[in-house]
Amino acid sequence: MSHAMSDDQVAGELKKMTMFIRQEALEKAKEIQIKADEEFAIEKSKLVRQETSSIDSQYEKKFKQASMSQQITRSTLANKTRLKVLSARQELLDDLFEKARDQLKSYSEDKSKYQEICKNLILEGLYALNEDKVAVRARKEDYEVVKKSIEDAQKEYKEEVLKDIEIELDEKNPQPAAISGGVSIVGTGGRIDINNTFEERLKLLETDALPMVRTSLFGKNENRKFYD
């Protein structure tokens, strides 16, 4: 047979139930808070990683762009510097050969030396043509000297080749008076003309000796792998 609870007992039971429910609620709330904190930490860490990755990616992109820009700038400056150096060198070489052109006329002033020079120029043509008869063309003002050079060349040619050669001074076709000197040797009935005037020899020197002149003036080009 059950006994009815007194008001105090009921109040006590209600208090216990209230405390239990409150305790359960606190524990549940604590669990929820812990779980929320964990999820927040995970999400925060994820966001931090994403932002860090984004920043790293942007930095890497900007770094590559900066590096590329720097390389382009360096290459542009290097090319400009190289062109300036080449231009300065070419100006120096042009000036050098221009001065040589200005000095060409001086070689015909000393008649004795000029006679020897013309003799050697004539001989060079004789050996190249290897004919029995040739013509020599010169400036009108040089005829007297060139006639002596022809005689000397004929004599030396016979001594070296052991045969005579007929050399005619072509007075119908003189070299222009404006040139500095030298001669041309004509063979094969006028079809072959070996131009040994001073101006032409200087042109050949500019072409053939230019690499050697560059090396003498500026030193060996370390970037060049092949030479003629």
Side-chain angles (χ1 to χ4, degrees):
M1 182 175 178
S2 60
H3 298 282
M5 291 187 295
S6 65
D7 292 342
D8 290 338
Q9 288 177 327
V10 172
E13 288 298 324
L14 288 172
K15 186 177 182 181
K16 288 179 182 178
M17 290 179 64
T18 301
M19 290 179 65
F20 176 78
I21 293 172
R22 184 173 180 274
Q23 183 64 32
E24 285 286 320
L26 288 172
E27 290 179 358
K28 190 68 176 177
K30 187 176 181 181
E31 289 178 4
I32 293 172
Q33 183 63 47
I34 291 172
K35 188 175 181 180
D37 290 343
E38 289 177 349
E39 291 178 353
F40 173 77
I42 292 171
E43 191 65 24
K44 179 181 177 182
S45 178
K46 183 179 178 182
L47 289 172
V48 169
R49 285 197 303 270
Q50 289 177 347
E51 287 299 317
T52 302
S53 177
S54 176
I55 291 171
D56 289 343
S57 178
Q58 291 178 11
Y59 172 77
E60 184 177 357
K61 183 179 180 181
K62 289 182 179 180
F63 179 77
K64 287 182 178 179
Q65 289 176 343
S67 297
M68 182 63 70
S69 177
Q70 189 177 46
Q71 289 177 4
I72 293 172
T73 301
R74 284 179 177 175
S75 178
T76 302
L77 289 174
N79 286 335
K80 286 183 178 180
T81 302
R82 179 174 174 273
L83 289 174
K84 285 182 180 179
V85 171
L86 290 176
S87 178
R89 287 183 175 183
Q90 190 60 48
E91 286 181 9
L92 180 59
L93 290 170
D94 291 343
D95 184 58
L96 177 67
F97 285 114
E98 186 62 34
K99 288 180 179 178
R101 274 187 284 274
D102 293 339
Q103 293 178 359
L104 287 178
K105 289 187 177 181
S106 65
Y107 291 108
S108 63
E109 293 175 357
D110 187 325
K111 299 306 178 183
S112 178
K113 289 183 180 179
Y114 186 48
Q115 180 180 326
E116 180 71 13
I117 291 172
C118 288
K119 181 203 76 172
N120 291 328
L121 293 175
I122 293 170
L123 278 171
E124 186 178 293
L126 299 182
Y127 292 135
L129 291 170
N130 191 27
E131 296 185 9
D132 296 327
K133 182 178 180 180
V134 299
V136 172
R137 293 171 181 167
R139 298 183 303 179
K140 286 184 179 180
E141 63 185 271
D142 294 335
Y143 282 173
E144 185 178 344
V145 172
V146 172
K147 284 178 182 179
K148 295 178 182 178
S149 298
I150 289 173
E151 292 176 1
D152 294 340
Q154 282 177 313
K155 182 179 179 181
E156 186 169 330
Y157 184 81
K158 184 176 182 179
E159 291 174 354
E160 294 294 330
V161 183
L162 302 179
K163 72 174 184 179
D164 292 319
I165 185 169
E166 183 179 346
I167 305 174
E168 174 192 5
L169 178 60
D170 185 1
E171 297 185 21
K172 293 181 180 179
N173 298 288
Q175 292 286 0
I179 70 170
S180 302
V183 296
S184 63
I185 304 88
V186 183
T188 319
R191 291 193 296 273
I192 299 178
D193 186 347
I194 298 178
N195 192 336
N196 271 350
T197 59
F198 287 171
E199 280 78 6
E200 190 63 26
R201 295 306 294 260
L202 184 59
K203 286 181 183 178
L204 292 174
L205 179 64
E206 287 185 44
T207 302
D208 297 339
L210 191 56
M212 182 179 66
V213 174
R214 280 202 185 101
T215 301
S216 298
L217 290 175
F218 311 118
K220 185 178 179 181
N221 185 351
E222 299 297 335
N223 295 322
R224 189 173 183 183
K225 296 181 179 179
F226 303 102
Y227 294 87
D228 296 334

